[in-house]
Amino acid sequence: MQHNPIGIFDSGVGGTSIWKEITQLLPHENTIYLADSKYAPYGKRSKAEILELSVKNTETLLDFGCKIIVAACNTATTNAIKELRSRYDVPFIGIEPAIKPAAIHTKTKKVGVLATKGTLSSELFAKTSDLYARNIEVIEVIGAGLVELIENDKIDSPEMQSLLSSYMNPLIKKNIDYLVLGCSHYPYLIPILKKMLSDRVTIIDSGEAVAKQTKAILERTALINTNTKLGTHSLYTNENVVILEKILKSSASSYAVNKLDF
Ligand code: DGL
């Protein structure tokens, strides 16, 4: 079982930001990544649909023999992880907006959270927000349209620039000093966001924390791969192979990208 792959899924290409963190921290692990781009964005879908898609992705990863599953999608985690954990024996790692560190460190007591509608309206997000951000103002912004642009290879486009500035301007006026990225697609927007926000705003995403949690759970369950060879990585998309390849180009790992119907 140790040598079996880590399974990672997202609604599309965005979760590769988490895959990169995992392969960097755990270079000897084998991985399988599923980009469910055909059904993206999840953020506009109902909880029942998000669960159904998450089950489909989980079963595909289990067919590959995955020993642990990472839902590299905030929308899937906040809407479906509880049900997934109760249905399957395999351990699940999820990703949620990192409100806690932002709430601890903010000086202006104003924190922005950019996420999908599905994440911001979930019970799990409300709970986390209540728990950690009681004494600060959390300004929630739905990043409508951002995932669609990323999925269509339009990160560096005028449309992205104007959409992002329409979301950031109100946050700048509110004097936030932390911006929490609550969607695994958004780390790919950090270079643009940095130009828009002054140095006074710190941008946080959850990628590193998810990789550390994956490692901790693999160690605790004795599933960590003790191989000394570098791991192998297969990434699958049910949509456009070229877009997935393009977003991976800055990765240090070597990998294979293929089309798969799932
Ligand atoms: N990467 C997904 C997330 O983290 C994007 C959601 C979507 O498909 O709308 O929430």
Side-chain angles (χ1 to χ4, degrees), residues 10-15 33 39-45 72-78 95 115-119 147-148 151 182-186:
D10 179 40
S11 62
V13 298
Y33 180 90
Y39 299 98
Y42 283 11
K44 289 199 277 198
R45 293 181 181 275
C73 176
N74 292 257
T75 313
T77 301
T78 53
I95 178 168
T116 69
K117 186 167 168 250
T119 294
V147 167
E148 288 90 328
E151 288 291 324
C183 171
S184 57
H185 281 67
Y186 300 167

Side-chain angles (χ1 to χ4, degrees), residues 243-257:
I243 294 181
L244 180 56
E245 273 171 349
K246 206 165 165 190
I247 211 141
L248 287 164
K249 68 180 187 298
S250 62
S251 169
S253 313
S254 66
Y255 47 81
V257 175

